Amino acid sequence: MGVVDGRHLVLVGLMGSGKTTVGRVVAQRLRRELLDSDFMIEAREGRTVRAIFAEDGEDAFRAIETDVLVEALAAEDRAVIAAAGGVVLRPENRAALRESGARVVWLRADPATLVERVKGGVHRPLLDDDPRGTLERMYAERSDLYREVADAIVMVDNRSVNEIVEAVLR
Ligand code: S3P
């Protein structure tokens, strides 16, 4: 576990890849706080991710997301940061991840796995219509961006939460 000491550990990946679930267990194991960017956004705004998308649009959401990412990376105590799926879209966010020196792990999953896992989530308005097609498109559009920011890639298909946690800690 020594490798992650002294640096933030950031989990990235598409919606449904398990960032929050895995992040929670990893944070417990490392005795760190979990900073989840969507939760931080909702706490700061006093409204849901869905409401922000509906009322102000995606660009406004992305601007808040950048603020929150920068805030999380600036936290003094080393944390586990679950960064929402779209965090890699903005070049400034990718630069912030790089410049922070955080260790970034990409939880990589096939779109088919993700489609099963996102059922029932409420904070993902982008998946309201055609979740499968949208996740396949996002996988194609974002894979290079996740790869760009990642220090390590953990495959999550057909693995239990505990197996993924162990792989992340390694
Ligand atoms: C998004 C991912 C969601 C949430 C929003 C947009 C995206 O977070 O921020 O619905 O563009 O990938 P999770 O990755 O935590 O589901």
Side-chain angles (χ1 to χ4, degrees), residues 3 12 14 21 55 63 69 76 82 85 103 106 116 121 127 134 136-137 156 159:
V3 282
V12 297
L14 285 172
T21 307
E55 290 160 13
L69 175 70
E76 201 146 310
R103 282 189 81 84
W106 173 20
E116 286 309 308
L127 299 183
T134 306
E136 281 169 358
R137 181 174 50 74
V156 305
R159 289 173 111 176

PDB file of all heavy atoms in Angstrom, residues 3 12 14 21 55 63 69 76 82 85 103 106 116 121 127 134 136-137 156 159:
ATOM      1  N   VAL A   3       2.732   2.542  -2.075  1.00  0.00           N
ATOM      2  CA  VAL A   3       2.800   3.342  -3.297  1.00  0.00           C
ATOM      3  C   VAL A   3       1.842   4.512  -3.307  1.00  0.00           C
ATOM      4  O   VAL A   3       2.088   5.495  -3.983  1.00  0.00           O
ATOM      5  CB  VAL A   3       2.525   2.495  -4.557  1.00  0.00           C
ATOM      6  CG1 VAL A   3       3.730   1.683  -4.927  1.00  0.00           C
ATOM      7  CG2 VAL A   3       1.293   1.649  -4.381  1.00  0.00           C
ATOM      8  N   VAL A  12     -11.034   7.078 -11.980  1.00  0.00           N
ATOM      9  CA  VAL A  12     -11.751   7.610 -13.137  1.00  0.00           C
ATOM     10  C   VAL A  12     -12.351   6.442 -13.913  1.00  0.00           C
ATOM     11  O   VAL A  12     -11.958   5.289 -13.735  1.00  0.00           O
ATOM     12  CB  VAL A  12     -10.832   8.452 -14.066  1.00  0.00           C
ATOM     13  CG1 VAL A  12     -10.289   9.673 -13.351  1.00  0.00           C
ATOM     14  CG2 VAL A  12      -9.699   7.605 -14.660  1.00  0.00           C
ATOM     15  N   LEU A  14     -15.931   5.383 -16.864  1.00  0.00           N
ATOM     16  CA  LEU A  14     -17.283   5.715 -17.308  1.00  0.00           C
ATOM     17  C   LEU A  14     -18.313   5.494 -16.206  1.00  0.00           C
ATOM     18  O   LEU A  14     -18.051   4.794 -15.224  1.00  0.00           O
ATOM     19  CB  LEU A  14     -17.654   4.851 -18.517  1.00  0.00           C
ATOM     20  CG  LEU A  14     -16.992   5.248 -19.838  1.00  0.00           C
ATOM     21  CD1 LEU A  14     -17.304   4.193 -20.902  1.00  0.00           C
ATOM     22  CD2 LEU A  14     -17.472   6.620 -20.309  1.00  0.00           C
ATOM     23  N   THR A  21     -18.496   2.966  -5.460  1.00  0.00           N
ATOM     24  CA  THR A  21     -18.530   1.734  -4.655  1.00  0.00           C
ATOM     25  C   THR A  21     -17.124   1.287  -4.293  1.00  0.00           C
ATOM     26  O   THR A  21     -16.816   1.009  -3.125  1.00  0.00           O
ATOM     27  CB  THR A  21     -19.229   0.619  -5.463  1.00  0.00           C
ATOM     28  OG1 THR A  21     -20.483   1.113  -5.906  1.00  0.00           O
ATOM     29  CG2 THR A  21     -19.426  -0.618  -4.627  1.00  0.00           C
ATOM     30  N   GLU A  55     -31.729  22.521 -15.289  1.00  0.00           N
ATOM     31  CA  GLU A  55     -31.961  23.963 -15.111  1.00  0.00           C
ATOM     32  C   GLU A  55     -30.902  24.813 -15.804  1.00  0.00           C
ATOM     33  O   GLU A  55     -31.199  25.865 -16.351  1.00  0.00           O
ATOM     34  CB  GLU A  55     -31.998  24.290 -13.610  1.00  0.00           C
ATOM     35  CG  GLU A  55     -33.252  23.732 -12.924  1.00  0.00           C
ATOM     36  CD  GLU A  55     -33.100  23.612 -11.403  1.00  0.00           C
ATOM     37  OE1 GLU A  55     -32.135  24.181 -10.841  1.00  0.00           O
ATOM     38  OE2 GLU A  55     -33.952  22.933 -10.782  1.00  0.00           O
ATOM     39  N   ALA A  63     -18.602  23.256 -15.566  1.00  0.00           N
ATOM     40  CA  ALA A  63     -17.820  24.309 -14.906  1.00  0.00           C
ATOM     41  C   ALA A  63     -17.758  24.047 -13.391  1.00  0.00           C
ATOM     42  O   ALA A  63     -16.697  24.176 -12.772  1.00  0.00           O
ATOM     43  CB  ALA A  63     -18.437  25.681 -15.194  1.00  0.00           C
ATOM     44  N   LEU A  69     -13.317  19.478  -8.728  1.00  0.00           N
ATOM     45  CA  LEU A  69     -12.124  18.642  -8.917  1.00  0.00           C
ATOM     46  C   LEU A  69     -10.892  19.352  -8.374  1.00  0.00           C
ATOM     47  O   LEU A  69     -10.088  18.763  -7.638  1.00  0.00           O
ATOM     48  CB  LEU A  69     -11.924  18.317 -10.407  1.00  0.00           C
ATOM     49  CG  LEU A  69     -10.634  17.543 -10.717  1.00  0.00           C
ATOM     50  CD1 LEU A  69     -10.727  16.104 -10.189  1.00  0.00           C
ATOM     51  CD2 LEU A  69     -10.330  17.535 -12.219  1.00  0.00           C
ATOM     52  N   GLU A  76      -5.863  18.935   1.826  1.00  0.00           N
ATOM     53  CA  GLU A  76      -4.567  18.745   2.489  1.00  0.00           C
ATOM     54  C   GLU A  76      -4.326  17.284   2.853  1.00  0.00           C
ATOM     55  O   GLU A  76      -3.256  16.737   2.605  1.00  0.00           O
ATOM     56  CB  GLU A  76      -4.531  19.610   3.742  1.00  0.00           C
ATOM     57  CG  GLU A  76      -3.126  19.889   4.190  1.00  0.00           C
ATOM     58  CD  GLU A  76      -3.050  21.274   4.794  1.00  0.00           C
ATOM     59  OE1 GLU A  76      -3.522  22.237   4.161  1.00  0.00           O
ATOM     60  OE2 GLU A  76      -2.556  21.364   5.917  1.00  0.00           O
ATOM     61  N   ALA A  82     -13.292   9.970  -6.042  1.00  0.00           N
ATOM     62  CA  ALA A  82     -14.076   9.341  -7.100  1.00  0.00           C
ATOM     63  C   ALA A  82     -14.493  10.470  -8.044  1.00  0.00           C
ATOM     64  O   ALA A  82     -15.333  11.299  -7.696  1.00  0.00           O
ATOM     65  CB  ALA A  82     -15.290   8.630  -6.513  1.00  0.00           C
ATOM     66  N   GLY A  85     -17.579  10.537 -14.334  1.00  0.00           N
ATOM     67  CA  GLY A  85     -17.168  10.045 -15.651  1.00  0.00           C
ATOM     68  C   GLY A  85     -16.698  11.103 -16.628  1.00  0.00           C
ATOM     69  O   GLY A  85     -15.793  10.866 -17.437  1.00  0.00           O
ATOM     70  N   ARG A 103      -2.182   9.825  -7.958  1.00  0.00           N
ATOM     71  CA  ARG A 103      -2.174   8.554  -8.681  1.00  0.00           C
ATOM     72  C   ARG A 103      -3.560   8.335  -9.237  1.00  0.00           C
ATOM     73  O   ARG A 103      -4.542   8.361  -8.485  1.00  0.00           O
ATOM     74  CB  ARG A 103      -1.816   7.394  -7.765  1.00  0.00           C
ATOM     75  CG  ARG A 103      -0.358   7.295  -7.484  1.00  0.00           C
ATOM     76  CD  ARG A 103      -0.051   6.024  -6.758  1.00  0.00           C
ATOM     77  NE  ARG A 103       0.030   4.880  -7.660  1.00  0.00           N
ATOM     78  CZ  ARG A 103       1.122   4.554  -8.351  1.00  0.00           C
ATOM     79  NH1 ARG A 103       2.201   5.280  -8.258  1.00  0.00           N
ATOM     80  NH2 ARG A 103       1.132   3.497  -9.124  1.00  0.00           N
ATOM     81  N   TRP A 106      -7.757   4.074 -13.732  1.00  0.00           N
ATOM     82  CA  TRP A 106      -8.921   3.977 -14.628  1.00  0.00           C
ATOM     83  C   TRP A 106      -9.599   2.637 -14.393  1.00  0.00           C
ATOM     84  O   TRP A 106      -8.975   1.589 -14.595  1.00  0.00           O
ATOM     85  CB  TRP A 106      -8.456   4.110 -16.074  1.00  0.00           C
ATOM     86  CG  TRP A 106      -9.508   3.869 -17.123  1.00  0.00           C
ATOM     87  CD1 TRP A 106     -10.860   3.913 -16.990  1.00  0.00           C
ATOM     88  CD2 TRP A 106      -9.262   3.546 -18.505  1.00  0.00           C
ATOM     89  NE1 TRP A 106     -11.477   3.645 -18.191  1.00  0.00           N
ATOM     90  CE2 TRP A 106     -10.527   3.420 -19.134  1.00  0.00           C
ATOM     91  CE3 TRP A 106      -8.106   3.377 -19.270  1.00  0.00           C
ATOM     92  CZ2 TRP A 106     -10.660   3.109 -20.486  1.00  0.00           C
ATOM     93  CZ3 TRP A 106      -8.237   3.066 -20.621  1.00  0.00           C
ATOM     94  CH2 TRP A 106      -9.493   2.939 -21.226  1.00  0.00           C
ATOM     95  N   GLU A 116     -25.598  -2.773 -17.745  1.00  0.00           N
ATOM     96  CA  GLU A 116     -26.257  -3.501 -16.663  1.00  0.00           C
ATOM     97  C   GLU A 116     -26.168  -2.730 -15.351  1.00  0.00           C
ATOM     98  O   GLU A 116     -27.090  -2.719 -14.555  1.00  0.00           O
ATOM     99  CB  GLU A 116     -25.608  -4.882 -16.489  1.00  0.00           C
ATOM    100  CG  GLU A 116     -25.973  -5.860 -17.582  1.00  0.00           C
ATOM    101  CD  GLU A 116     -27.485  -5.930 -17.801  1.00  0.00           C
ATOM    102  OE1 GLU A 116     -28.215  -6.131 -16.810  1.00  0.00           O
ATOM    103  OE2 GLU A 116     -27.935  -5.748 -18.954  1.00  0.00           O
ATOM    104  N   GLY A 121     -29.848   4.114 -11.557  1.00  0.00           N
ATOM    105  CA  GLY A 121     -29.188   5.340 -11.090  1.00  0.00           C
ATOM    106  C   GLY A 121     -30.029   6.559 -11.448  1.00  0.00           C
ATOM    107  O   GLY A 121     -30.707   6.561 -12.465  1.00  0.00           O
ATOM    108  N   LEU A 127     -28.038   9.471 -19.730  1.00  0.00           N
ATOM    109  CA  LEU A 127     -28.394   8.099 -20.099  1.00  0.00           C
ATOM    110  C   LEU A 127     -29.900   7.870 -20.165  1.00  0.00           C
ATOM    111  O   LEU A 127     -30.356   6.738 -20.294  1.00  0.00           O
ATOM    112  CB  LEU A 127     -27.762   7.103 -19.111  1.00  0.00           C
ATOM    113  CG  LEU A 127     -26.240   7.107 -19.036  1.00  0.00           C
ATOM    114  CD1 LEU A 127     -25.762   6.024 -18.067  1.00  0.00           C
ATOM    115  CD2 LEU A 127     -25.612   6.902 -20.406  1.00  0.00           C
ATOM    116  N   THR A 134     -25.417   5.352 -25.869  1.00  0.00           N
ATOM    117  CA  THR A 134     -24.665   6.470 -25.291  1.00  0.00           C
ATOM    118  C   THR A 134     -23.384   5.980 -24.646  1.00  0.00           C
ATOM    119  O   THR A 134     -22.309   6.582 -24.821  1.00  0.00           O
ATOM    120  CB  THR A 134     -25.535   7.210 -24.248  1.00  0.00           C
ATOM    121  OG1 THR A 134     -26.762   7.581 -24.871  1.00  0.00           O
ATOM    122  CG2 THR A 134     -24.826   8.451 -23.719  1.00  0.00           C
ATOM    123  N   GLU A 136     -21.738   3.274 -25.382  1.00  0.00           N
ATOM    124  CA  GLU A 136     -20.812   2.833 -26.433  1.00  0.00           C
ATOM    125  C   GLU A 136     -20.117   4.039 -27.069  1.00  0.00           C
ATOM    126  O   GLU A 136     -18.919   4.025 -27.323  1.00  0.00           O
ATOM    127  CB  GLU A 136     -21.562   2.009 -27.493  1.00  0.00           C
ATOM    128  CG  GLU A 136     -21.791   0.583 -27.009  1.00  0.00           C
ATOM    129  CD  GLU A 136     -22.748  -0.226 -27.872  1.00  0.00           C
ATOM    130  OE1 GLU A 136     -23.293   0.326 -28.864  1.00  0.00           O
ATOM    131  OE2 GLU A 136     -22.958  -1.410 -27.530  1.00  0.00           O
ATOM    132  N   ARG A 137     -20.883   5.093 -27.290  1.00  0.00           N
ATOM    133  CA  ARG A 137     -20.291   6.307 -27.873  1.00  0.00           C
ATOM    134  C   ARG A 137     -19.282   6.913 -26.894  1.00  0.00           C
ATOM    135  O   ARG A 137     -18.169   7.293 -27.271  1.00  0.00           O
ATOM    136  CB  ARG A 137     -21.411   7.308 -28.203  1.00  0.00           C
ATOM    137  CG  ARG A 137     -20.906   8.595 -28.828  1.00  0.00           C
ATOM    138  CD  ARG A 137     -22.042   9.517 -29.271  1.00  0.00           C
ATOM    139  NE  ARG A 137     -23.069   9.748 -28.253  1.00  0.00           N
ATOM    140  CZ  ARG A 137     -22.917  10.507 -27.181  1.00  0.00           C
ATOM    141  NH1 ARG A 137     -21.777  11.130 -26.953  1.00  0.00           N
ATOM    142  NH2 ARG A 137     -23.908  10.665 -26.314  1.00  0.00           N
ATOM    143  N   VAL A 156     -12.563  -4.193 -14.857  1.00  0.00           N
ATOM    144  CA  VAL A 156     -13.576  -4.504 -13.848  1.00  0.00           C
ATOM    145  C   VAL A 156     -14.605  -5.535 -14.310  1.00  0.00           C
ATOM    146  O   VAL A 156     -15.399  -6.016 -13.503  1.00  0.00           O
ATOM    147  CB  VAL A 156     -14.302  -3.224 -13.348  1.00  0.00           C
ATOM    148  CG1 VAL A 156     -13.305  -2.211 -12.849  1.00  0.00           C
ATOM    149  CG2 VAL A 156     -15.187  -2.628 -14.407  1.00  0.00           C
ATOM    150  N   ARG A 159     -15.552  -9.023 -12.324  1.00  0.00           N
ATOM    151  CA  ARG A 159     -14.809  -9.074 -11.063  1.00  0.00           C
ATOM    152  C   ARG A 159     -15.667  -8.520  -9.942  1.00  0.00           C
ATOM    153  O   ARG A 159     -16.446  -7.588 -10.143  1.00  0.00           O
ATOM    154  CB  ARG A 159     -13.537  -8.226 -11.153  1.00  0.00           C
ATOM    155  CG  ARG A 159     -12.484  -8.828 -12.051  1.00  0.00           C
ATOM    156  CD  ARG A 159     -11.332  -7.877 -12.222  1.00  0.00           C
ATOM    157  NE  ARG A 159     -10.131  -8.340 -11.566  1.00  0.00           N
ATOM    158  CZ  ARG A 159      -8.957  -7.697 -11.649  1.00  0.00           C
ATOM    159  NH1 ARG A 159      -8.850  -6.564 -12.311  1.00  0.00           N
ATOM    160  NH2 ARG A 159      -7.895  -8.172 -11.054  1.00  0.00           N
TER     161      ARG A 159
END
